Amino acid sequence: MSRLTRAAAPTAVRAAVGLTVAALVLTACGSGSKGSSSAAGSGSNDKIKVGLITKTDTNPFFVKMKDGAQKAATANNVDLVTAAGKFDGDNASQITAIENMTAAGVKGILITPSDSKAIVPAIAKARAKGVVVIALDSPTDPQSATDALFATDNLKAGELIGAYAKAAMAGKRAKIATLDLAPGVAVGQQRHDGFLKGFGISAGDKSIVCSQDTGGDQAKGQTAMENCLQKASDLNVVYTINEPAALGAYTALKAKGREKDVLIVSVDGGCTGTQAVKDGKIAATSQQYPLTMAEDGIKAVADYAKGGAKAAGYTDTGVTLITDKPQTGVDAKDTAYGLANCWG
Amino acid sequence: MTTAAPPYSTLKEPTRLRRLTAAPTAGPLAALALACTFFSLTTDQFLSGGNFSLIIQQVMVVGALAIGQTLIILTAGIDLSCGAVMAFGSIMIAKTAAEGSVPPLVAIALGLGVCAGFGLVNGLLVRLVPLPPFIVTLGMLNIAFALTHVYSNEQTITGLPRTLTFLGETFPLGHTDVTYGSVLTIALFLAFAYALGNTSWGQHVYALGNSPEAARLNGVRTGRLTIGVYAVAGLVYGIAALLLVSRTGVGDPQAGQTENLDSITAVVLGGTSLFGGRGTVLGSLIGALIVGVFRNGLQLMGVASIYQTLITGILVILAVTVDQLSRKRIR
């Protein structure tokens, strides 16, 4: 070892030891204020805090959910704190958010779990500290990992458009393309399964001519549709996981001049998607209600904090088929209703 | 590691080397202190042992990755694959232990070995072909990402044995609970700080980053050193994988997607130069803590998470600006 490094080294090591000691001292000596942090929720005059953790900050579905939560928070006189993952599936950020919100003394946490299984241990820790945890939009696995679930019945959402497509195709031989979400994501699987059930076919049926993942993304939906058209140019029904994927599919069909004779059905009921139904780009969509999920969630936590009972079990926040070309035997509302109740 | 290092004719002034190894941590440390002071004043809950313990738990995975990233950046390289390699390692550890009939310790060894293997391949491609580190690790990012999803079958792995989650458990220190993983991470940082600052290996790494040609002329086996640095970094990613598994309690195929950039952020905020040859691993620890403190503090203040991203971006640009200006002065 040269003389030069020896001169520099002690400085680095001294800094290292100093830093470690400082970290440990800070960690160990914080006991005084620790008491006050755990008492913040109940003892002080602070307003009740409720946390909302969404999958991302950017998806309009979650933006709308946040808006609904904010309105409900104001109405119920509680403080709303929010956090989100960086991308759909970002479990680590959701765990961090749960921990930080628990440290901030929230009374309850509303969460749209990005990974239904991976989030479970973190939720268990928060609940052990007395925080009520309610899943919104999609369940945890097992569902009992949270106190309650406020969500769309995604199987039913799929069934509605499946039944609609079957009625609309009456007398014609269906050749179906499914533009799905991603492998291993429960929401996508449930909608897909629901569609097949509503259409009266089972997985692997030969009327399914193409299945592609889109991640619920418009550009990827377009690519997927282009590839499906290469594979089976005579397809005539397109199931899509959500409306961005449906609009991508429409763009691809239009480029081939097929937009008039292919039936597109979808799920979500966002305002852009509902408008696309009105414009005739999408035949029908199953509308869900993120505002209701958030409002009910906030209210449940506020009630619990004010001495009421804990919310429990599954609450179906409803789903409605929206179309301007109704089929007999399939309950639906028109796009005027859809646009009045859409999100995003 | 050789004991008799050759003399460095190119590094004559002691003050200059000291500046290369020690000085850059002062700025980040001040920034960290400032952030802590700010959040202590603005929120009731920030200044508590439990909260500091929490922040350390939250940054330990990115912190461990940042150690490997620092080593590579010191050689004027970059590693975009670290998060993906860690994800593969974590699935390897979780899957072999939970679903295979492999003893947990063997599963951990497998995970560490596989991560070191990824690092070794990176190093070989960077050195022997040779290819730019950016390209090699960009390719490896995709390879490791895809292998993770294929190998895991897109399924989150639960039901892990306690040996794998032990590092996530806590022991009392004063009135606060500290995880074993936090202690391991800090020990790892101290070990690498010592290795870089006090051994000839460390001095060779700095020399390589400053001028590969000068290092070679002074007898440093630059090829072997480069490959070794990438392999050691890979091994550290394996440790990060174990920390990740112990923290989340599951094997998650979606993990690690932003950690490559997060680790680079920590390194840059810690004052290490992206152009190589200057910086410290302790700086990277401080860099990781700065991000963790902001994320935690802003959450306690009730600020939405998108502002954490905004602030992190501003900090990164500030840090590189400071680096560039001070580098000009040294030259």
PDB file of all heavy atoms in Angstrom, chain B residues 275-287:
ATOM      1  N   PHE B 275     -17.883  10.184 -14.725  1.00  0.00           N
ATOM      2  CA  PHE B 275     -16.787  10.035 -15.678  1.00  0.00           C
ATOM      3  C   PHE B 275     -15.680   9.163 -15.104  1.00  0.00           C
ATOM      4  O   PHE B 275     -14.648   8.980 -15.713  1.00  0.00           O
ATOM      5  CB  PHE B 275     -16.262  11.414 -16.082  1.00  0.00           C
ATOM      6  CG  PHE B 275     -17.366  12.315 -16.549  1.00  0.00           C
ATOM      7  CD1 PHE B 275     -17.896  13.289 -15.715  1.00  0.00           C
ATOM      8  CD2 PHE B 275     -17.915  12.149 -17.808  1.00  0.00           C
ATOM      9  CE1 PHE B 275     -18.936  14.097 -16.141  1.00  0.00           C
ATOM     10  CE2 PHE B 275     -18.957  12.952 -18.230  1.00  0.00           C
ATOM     11  CZ  PHE B 275     -19.477  13.938 -17.400  1.00  0.00           C
ATOM     12  N   GLY B 276     -15.914   8.631 -13.897  1.00  0.00           N
ATOM     13  CA  GLY B 276     -14.993   7.655 -13.328  1.00  0.00           C
ATOM     14  C   GLY B 276     -13.903   8.269 -12.471  1.00  0.00           C
ATOM     15  O   GLY B 276     -13.611   9.458 -12.532  1.00  0.00           O
ATOM     16  N   GLY B 277     -13.318   7.420 -11.619  1.00  0.00           N
ATOM     17  CA  GLY B 277     -12.103   7.786 -10.901  1.00  0.00           C
ATOM     18  C   GLY B 277     -12.270   8.676  -9.695  1.00  0.00           C
ATOM     19  O   GLY B 277     -11.289   9.016  -9.037  1.00  0.00           O
ATOM     20  N   ARG B 278     -13.508   9.075  -9.386  1.00  0.00           N
ATOM     21  CA  ARG B 278     -13.667   9.999  -8.283  1.00  0.00           C
ATOM     22  C   ARG B 278     -14.980   9.715  -7.567  1.00  0.00           C
ATOM     23  O   ARG B 278     -16.033   9.692  -8.208  1.00  0.00           O
ATOM     24  CB  ARG B 278     -13.688  11.430  -8.792  1.00  0.00           C
ATOM     25  CG  ARG B 278     -13.210  12.459  -7.787  1.00  0.00           C
ATOM     26  CD  ARG B 278     -12.824  13.723  -8.519  1.00  0.00           C
ATOM     27  NE  ARG B 278     -13.997  14.409  -9.043  1.00  0.00           N
ATOM     28  CZ  ARG B 278     -14.600  15.406  -8.398  1.00  0.00           C
ATOM     29  NH1 ARG B 278     -14.173  15.814  -7.237  1.00  0.00           N
ATOM     30  NH2 ARG B 278     -15.644  15.996  -8.928  1.00  0.00           N
ATOM     31  N   GLY B 279     -14.901   9.497  -6.255  1.00  0.00           N
ATOM     32  CA  GLY B 279     -16.131   9.241  -5.503  1.00  0.00           C
ATOM     33  C   GLY B 279     -15.910   8.181  -4.441  1.00  0.00           C
ATOM     34  O   GLY B 279     -14.815   7.629  -4.311  1.00  0.00           O
ATOM     35  N   THR B 280     -16.947   7.930  -3.658  1.00  0.00           N
ATOM     36  CA  THR B 280     -16.853   6.960  -2.568  1.00  0.00           C
ATOM     37  C   THR B 280     -18.155   6.190  -2.438  1.00  0.00           C
ATOM     38  O   THR B 280     -19.219   6.675  -2.841  1.00  0.00           O
ATOM     39  CB  THR B 280     -16.617   7.663  -1.210  1.00  0.00           C
ATOM     40  OG1 THR B 280     -17.722   8.530  -0.968  1.00  0.00           O
ATOM     41  CG2 THR B 280     -15.328   8.465  -1.204  1.00  0.00           C
ATOM     42  N   VAL B 281     -18.076   4.994  -1.847  1.00  0.00           N
ATOM     43  CA  VAL B 281     -19.313   4.250  -1.605  1.00  0.00           C
ATOM     44  C   VAL B 281     -20.127   4.887  -0.481  1.00  0.00           C
ATOM     45  O   VAL B 281     -21.348   4.823  -0.489  1.00  0.00           O
ATOM     46  CB  VAL B 281     -19.076   2.758  -1.261  1.00  0.00           C
ATOM     47  CG1 VAL B 281     -18.683   1.985  -2.487  1.00  0.00           C
ATOM     48  CG2 VAL B 281     -18.088   2.596  -0.159  1.00  0.00           C
ATOM     49  N   LEU B 282     -19.436   5.511   0.479  1.00  0.00           N
ATOM     50  CA  LEU B 282     -20.201   6.139   1.562  1.00  0.00           C
ATOM     51  C   LEU B 282     -21.019   7.307   1.036  1.00  0.00           C
ATOM     52  O   LEU B 282     -22.125   7.574   1.500  1.00  0.00           O
ATOM     53  CB  LEU B 282     -19.264   6.598   2.676  1.00  0.00           C
ATOM     54  CG  LEU B 282     -18.663   5.414   3.435  1.00  0.00           C
ATOM     55  CD1 LEU B 282     -17.561   5.884   4.370  1.00  0.00           C
ATOM     56  CD2 LEU B 282     -19.730   4.668   4.214  1.00  0.00           C
ATOM     57  N   GLY B 283     -20.467   7.989   0.021  1.00  0.00           N
ATOM     58  CA  GLY B 283     -21.239   9.031  -0.649  1.00  0.00           C
ATOM     59  C   GLY B 283     -22.518   8.448  -1.215  1.00  0.00           C
ATOM     60  O   GLY B 283     -23.597   9.041  -1.085  1.00  0.00           O
ATOM     61  N   SER B 284     -22.426   7.258  -1.795  1.00  0.00           N
ATOM     62  CA  SER B 284     -23.610   6.621  -2.379  1.00  0.00           C
ATOM     63  C   SER B 284     -24.634   6.260  -1.315  1.00  0.00           C
ATOM     64  O   SER B 284     -25.843   6.340  -1.552  1.00  0.00           O
ATOM     65  CB  SER B 284     -23.199   5.365  -3.153  1.00  0.00           C
ATOM     66  OG  SER B 284     -22.282   5.713  -4.159  1.00  0.00           O
ATOM     67  N   LEU B 285     -24.150   5.854  -0.132  1.00  0.00           N
ATOM     68  CA  LEU B 285     -25.073   5.590   0.979  1.00  0.00           C
ATOM     69  C   LEU B 285     -25.823   6.875   1.341  1.00  0.00           C
ATOM     70  O   LEU B 285     -27.045   6.873   1.512  1.00  0.00           O
ATOM     71  CB  LEU B 285     -24.312   5.064   2.204  1.00  0.00           C
ATOM     72  CG  LEU B 285     -25.115   4.894   3.496  1.00  0.00           C
ATOM     73  CD1 LEU B 285     -26.248   3.900   3.309  1.00  0.00           C
ATOM     74  CD2 LEU B 285     -24.220   4.438   4.647  1.00  0.00           C
ATOM     75  N   ILE B 286     -25.063   7.971   1.413  1.00  0.00           N
ATOM     76  CA  ILE B 286     -25.693   9.254   1.721  1.00  0.00           C
ATOM     77  C   ILE B 286     -26.690   9.618   0.616  1.00  0.00           C
ATOM     78  O   ILE B 286     -27.793  10.088   0.885  1.00  0.00           O
ATOM     79  CB  ILE B 286     -24.629  10.351   1.895  1.00  0.00           C
ATOM     80  CG1 ILE B 286     -23.732  10.015   3.096  1.00  0.00           C
ATOM     81  CG2 ILE B 286     -25.272  11.722   2.090  1.00  0.00           C
ATOM     82  CD1 ILE B 286     -22.487  10.853   3.181  1.00  0.00           C
ATOM     83  N   GLY B 287     -26.295   9.366  -0.638  1.00  0.00           N
ATOM     84  CA  GLY B 287     -27.180   9.647  -1.769  1.00  0.00           C
ATOM     85  C   GLY B 287     -28.486   8.871  -1.659  1.00  0.00           C
ATOM     86  O   GLY B 287     -29.573   9.418  -1.861  1.00  0.00           O
TER      87      GLY B 287
END
